[in-house]
Amino acid sequence: VQLQASGGGLAQAGGSLRLSCAASGRAFGNYAMGWFRQAPGKEREFVAAISWGGGTTAYVDSVKGRFTISRDNAKNTVYLQMNSLKPDDTAVYYCAAHPIMGEVRVNPQHWGQGTQVTVSS
């Protein structure tokens, strides 16, 4: 599966952005999907994941209550709604895929290119 992330940009602290990740290739609905981010000078970290059917989600503690992951299998797209943004959310955000929900968080099988999110204070 090929992944294409978009929707990044510049936001003020407290603002919102919505990232999208469009998938092509093998059946999107067979994959759990995840979002990761990498801030300058830091390692890439897991942000959120969603099961193939959308019934199970997971988040890193730092974004719980602020970010929401969702998917539209008819559109082969996964979203990350980011609200109440903080300067610490500044990073390059990547989408990822794996057939197994438990694996997408730690060892994704496919990666998209990154999209930059910058949050100003």
Side-chain angles (χ1 to χ4, degrees):
V1 62
Q2 291 77 45
L3 305 174
Q4 180 79 28
S6 62
L10 177 64
Q12 290 187 334
S16 298
L17 285 172
R18 188 175 82 156
L19 305 183
S20 298
C21 176
S24 60
R26 294 186 177 181
F28 175 73
N30 291 340
Y31 287 86
M33 299 296 297
W35 286 97
F36 292 73
R37 66 186 179 186
Q38 187 167 20
K42 295 186 178 181
E43 293 186 354
R44 189 176 300 186
E45 68 167 346
F46 165 78
V47 175
I50 188 166
S51 59
W52 64 268
T56 302
T57 58
Y59 299 91
V60 67
D61 285 347
S62 60
V63 308
K64 285 181 179 177
R66 300 190 298 121
F67 291 11
T68 302
I69 188 171
S70 62
R71 66 189 295 159
D72 185 337
N73 287 348
K75 296 182 178 180
N76 286 2
T77 303
V78 63
Y79 305 97
L80 186 67
Q81 178 67 44
M82 305 186 294
N83 298 330
S84 302
L85 284 163
K86 303 176 181 179
D88 284 349
D89 296 319
T90 296
V92 178
Y93 284 71
Y94 300 87
C95 56
H98 194 287
I100 301 172
M101 176 68 173
E103 288 294 316
V104 74
R105 300 181 57 165
V106 295
N107 188 31
Q109 195 174 77
H110 304 281
W111 289 95
Q113 94 296 351
T115 185
Q116 176 72 47
V117 171
T118 303
V119 183
S120 62
S121 58

